[in-house]
């Protein structure tokens, strides 16, 4: 049976793709077959008559389980807005059941499946479902990405509390350093370690650019090892 992580974040632009890529690279380095998904993406670009999202393409390139673009990114939308609005504008509603079916097909060929969510935990996907409902349907343990900057404490604690109220298994959180001059980084990390209910799995140090294209190295904690042991 494949294992997996559902990667969510404290909001948009916090580094979910960077963390997903780093996890894929680390798991592949350990000899696992890894599949990747970004089932919902907005702000996709139209190329050769079809929509493609840069993050999904990066995940495809990093993974080593063969998959079609539609397996990785089943619901791509051109309008860069909340997915429920983008889906409504495109008149193509998001089907959680279809995403689950694609994830099961990928899981049958993989040791690990890394699924990157869209936006944050409470983002609407349609009139009756949120990202949280997608995570519950997929049933993979949830990793929360925390962007380490001013304001992250409130966002992280609220997100962790919301995750804890759902029928999912929280795996832990990963910090993403996005500001090389962020003051009191150690103090913030200590506060998060003491305040969040789940352990820190890893830390991604700052690197130039957005950190997605390079071979970003996860600084893993001991809490990560039971997942891959």
């Amino acid at each position: 049976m494949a294992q997996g992580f559902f990667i969510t974040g404290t909001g948009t632009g916090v580094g979910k793709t960077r963390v997903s890529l780093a996890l894929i690279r680390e798991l592949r380095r350990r000899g696992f077959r890894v599949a990747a998904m970004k089932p919902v993406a907005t702000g996709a670009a139209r190329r050769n008559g079809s929509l493609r999202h840069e993050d999904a393409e990066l995940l495809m390139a990093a993974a080593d389980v063969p998959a079609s673009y539609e397996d990785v990114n089943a619901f791509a939308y051109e309008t860069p807005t909340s997915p429920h609005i983008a889906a409504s504008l495109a008149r193509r509603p998001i089907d959680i059941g279809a995403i689950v079916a694609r994830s099961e097909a990928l899981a049958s060929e993989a040791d690990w499946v890394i699924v990157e969510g869209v936006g944050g935990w409470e983002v609407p996907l349609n009139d009756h479902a949120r990202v949280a409902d997608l995570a519950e349907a997929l049933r993979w343990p949830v990793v929360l990405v925390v962007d380490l900057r001013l304001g992250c404490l409130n966002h992280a604690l609220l997100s962790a509390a919301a995750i804890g109220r759902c029928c999912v298994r929280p795996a832990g959180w990963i910090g993403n350093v996005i500001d090389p001059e962020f003051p009191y980084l150690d103090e913030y990390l200590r506060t998060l370690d003491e305040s969040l209910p789940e352990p820190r799995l890893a830390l991604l140090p700052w690197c130039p650019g957005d950190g997605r294209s390079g071979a970003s190295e996860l600084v893993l904690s001991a809490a990560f090892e039971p997942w891959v042991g």
Side-chain angles (χ1 to χ4, degrees):
M1 293 290 292
Q3 301 182 79
F5 283 134
F6 185 90
I7 312 301
T8 191
T10 53
T12 299
V14 301
K16 293 187 299 295
T17 302
R18 185 187 182 204
V19 166
S20 297
L21 290 168
L23 282 171
I24 291 168
R25 292 167 183 144
E26 175 63 22
L27 291 167
R28 288 192 61 185
R29 186 185 69 79
R30 295 178 183 228
F32 294 108
R33 296 170 301 155
V34 185
M37 297 181 73
K38 185 180 177 71
V40 180
T42 65
R46 192 168 295 280
R47 292 197 291 273
N48 298 322
S50 60
L51 289 172
R52 294 288 186 269
H53 195 278
E54 179 187 9
D55 293 351
E57 291 181 324
L58 287 170
L59 293 173
M60 284 184 70
D64 64 342
V65 171
S68 68
Y69 182 85
E70 290 71 23
D71 286 334
V72 175
N73 181 203
F75 294 92
Y77 301 101
E78 194 166 7
T79 307
T81 188
S82 179
H84 73 298
I85 299 173
S88 178
L89 291 171
R91 298 183 180 180
R92 184 174 178 241
I94 295 166
D95 184 343
I96 289 178
I99 295 170
V100 171
R102 290 181 185 274
S103 77
E104 290 173 347
L106 288 174
S108 69
E109 304 293 332
D111 300 312
W112 277 86
V113 182
I114 300 299
V115 182
E116 181 189 336
V118 58
W121 189 249
E122 298 286 355
V123 164
L125 299 179
N126 51 45
D127 290 341
H128 57 272
R130 300 164 295 135
V131 168
D133 297 297
L134 173 59
E136 287 185 345
L138 290 170
R139 298 185 295 179
W140 300 119
V142 174
V143 173
L144 175 64
V145 177
V146 179
D147 55 330
L148 295 165
R149 56 181 166 186
L150 187 63
C152 69
L153 300 179
N154 179 63
H155 296 156
L157 292 169
L158 288 173
S159 296
I163 292 168
R165 291 191 295 268
C166 295
C167 297
V168 296
R169 182 182 179 188
W173 63 281
I174 293 178
N176 179 33
V177 180
I178 61 174
D179 180 358
E181 299 180 356
F182 179 50
Y184 311 113
L185 174 61
D186 291 341
E187 288 83 354
Y188 270 67
L189 287 171
R190 183 164 56 250
T191 300
L192 289 165
D193 285 334
E194 293 171 351
S195 302
L196 290 175
E198 305 300 329
R200 188 199 327 167
L201 301 176
L203 180 69
L204 265 173
W206 179 84
C207 71
D210 59 16
R212 297 182 304 171
S213 300
S216 301
E217 292 294 331
L218 283 168
V219 179
L220 299 169
S221 76
F224 181 81
E225 296 306 321
W227 293 99
V228 294

